């Protein structure tokens, strides 16, 4: 079965650089979520999109922005990178409430290292 | 979103049944209870979801008492591969389904 695809899987950037993470949801899933998980930390919700519109926002820094495109893929743009941004970034997708479920399907993550 | 409290860690042995209890005293009428499992460096994986009484699937059972202020995830006959972090989430699917808050999960260690 198709899964959530994230690219790149690994990314190394220097401080103050920018990074773009991409997420391709499962086909027919119209909702996308982004999470950040630092070393030894629990996943932190960043932002979500439904039908290409931002649906909710969590602890996403102002330096980060995201969008969902017409084909439902999403991109997380990160600027002025800081050492503390080093983390695993997960994308998840779900069908919108159609199945009355909280079930989200997570991708393999992008490991971002800021040096 | 209701706050959840789980034990920080639990130990078990292969073949035993493991029960992880989550407290959610402020659960709202429309809230559902969902459990996720996460292995190191992997994304969380949905285990089970319920609203009241008991729900069972091929992986686990979820017990929810009448007052719904707590819930218990039951893993039958655990194996070494069940060593993971387990998260309990509570939220309203209708209005809060877009914002998923992971609290501090329970780190389960299964020993041989």
């Amino acid at each position: 079965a198709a899964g959530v695809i994230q690219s790149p899987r690994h990314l190394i950037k220097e401080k103050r650089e920018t990074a773009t993470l991409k997420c391709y949801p499962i086909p027919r899933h119209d909702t996308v979520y982004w999470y950040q998980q630092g070393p030894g930390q629990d996943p932190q919700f960043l932002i979500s999109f439904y039908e290409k519109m931002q649906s909710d926002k969590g602890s996403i820094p102002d330096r980060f922005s995201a969008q969902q495109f017409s084909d439902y893929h999403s991109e997380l743009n990160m600027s002025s990178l800081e050492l503390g941004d080093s983390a695993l970034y997960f994308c998840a997708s779900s069908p919108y409430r159609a199945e009355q479920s909280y079930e989200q399907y997570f991708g393999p993550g992008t490991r971002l290292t800021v040096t | 979103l209701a706050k959840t409290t789980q034990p920080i860690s639990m130990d078990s042995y292969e073949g035993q049944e493991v029960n992880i209890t989550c407290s959610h005293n402020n659960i709202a009428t429309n809230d559902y209870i969902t459990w996720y499992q996460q292995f190191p460096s992997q994304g969380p994986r949905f285990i089970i979801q319920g609203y009241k009484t008991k729900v069972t699937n091929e992986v686990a059972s979820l017990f929810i008492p009448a007052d719904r202020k707590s819930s218990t995830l039951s893993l039958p006959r655990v194996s070494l591969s069940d060593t993971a972090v387990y998260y309990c989430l509570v939220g309203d699917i209708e209005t809060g389904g877009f914002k998923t808050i992971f609290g501090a999960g329970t780190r389960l260690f299964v020993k041989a």
Side-chain angles (χ1 to χ4, degrees):
Chain A
V4 175
I5 297 171
Q6 291 188 245
S7 69
R9 294 293 308 279
H10 302 272
L11 190 59
I12 299 175
K13 291 285 186 178
E14 294 187 356
K15 283 194 304 184
R16 292 179 290 279
E17 286 191 321
T18 61
T20 297
L21 310 185
K22 296 184 179 183
C23 170
Y24 298 87
I26 292 172
R28 292 181 297 281
H29 282 194
D30 46 21
T31 306
V32 168
Y33 313 76
W34 285 97
Y35 297 86
Q36 177 192 59
Q37 188 169 28
Q41 304 292 314
D42 302 303
Q44 297 295 312
F45 170 78
L46 293 178
I47 195 167
S48 60
F49 291 87
Y50 165 65
E51 281 292 342
K52 294 149 278 183
M53 299 287 289
Q54 180 183 307
S55 52
D56 219 327
K57 205 171 182 180
S59 51
I60 184 169
D62 292 339
R63 299 177 289 108
F64 294 6
S65 65
Q67 57 182 323
Q68 186 179 30
F69 295 86
S70 57
D71 64 352
Y72 295 104
H73 95 271
S74 178
E75 295 183 4
L76 177 66
N77 300 293
M78 311 160 70
S79 63
S80 303
L81 287 170
E82 302 174 356
L83 295 178
D85 296 328
S86 295
L88 260 174
Y89 289 83
F90 291 107
C91 170
S93 74
S94 70
Y96 173 65
R97 296 189 330 216
E99 299 171 7
Q100 286 292 296
S101 171
Y102 237 144
E103 182 170 4
Q104 296 177 22
Y105 298 79
F106 282 76
T110 294
R111 184 174 295 280
L112 172 66
T113 303
V114 181
T115 61
Chain B
L1 295 168
K3 179 177 168 54
T4 60
T5 303
Q6 306 173 227
I8 294 175
S9 65
M10 295 181 67
D11 290 344
S12 182
Y13 289 93
E14 283 190 294
Q16 288 188 333
E17 177 184 76
V18 171
N19 296 310
I20 306 174
T21 297
C22 176
S23 297
H24 28 80
N25 292 318
N26 296 323
I27 190 168
T29 303
N30 294 332
D31 285 347
Y32 279 70
I33 301 155
T34 310
W35 285 80
Y36 280 84
Q37 174 194 56
Q38 186 179 28
F39 298 112
S41 297
Q42 293 186 28
R45 183 176 73 100
F46 174 90
I47 300 176
I48 198 167
Q49 178 181 271
Y51 183 80
K52 62 180 179 181
T53 63
K54 177 184 175 182
V55 179
T56 298
N57 61 22
E58 65 278 5
V59 176
S61 294
L62 178 60
F63 298 90
I64 305 168
D67 66 6
R68 304 200 326 122
K69 293 183 182 300
S70 66
S71 59
T72 298
L73 174 71
S74 181
L75 305 173
R77 299 181 58 80
V78 294
S79 64
L80 296 176
S81 62
D82 291 317
T83 293
V85 180
Y86 292 83
Y87 292 97
C88 165
L89 283 71
V90 173
D92 182 346
I93 290 174
E94 288 298 318
T95 64
F98 295 126
K99 187 173 184 175
T100 308
I101 306 299
F102 284 82
T106 298
R107 281 150 178 79
L108 173 65
F109 299 94
V110 180
K111 306 172 188 176

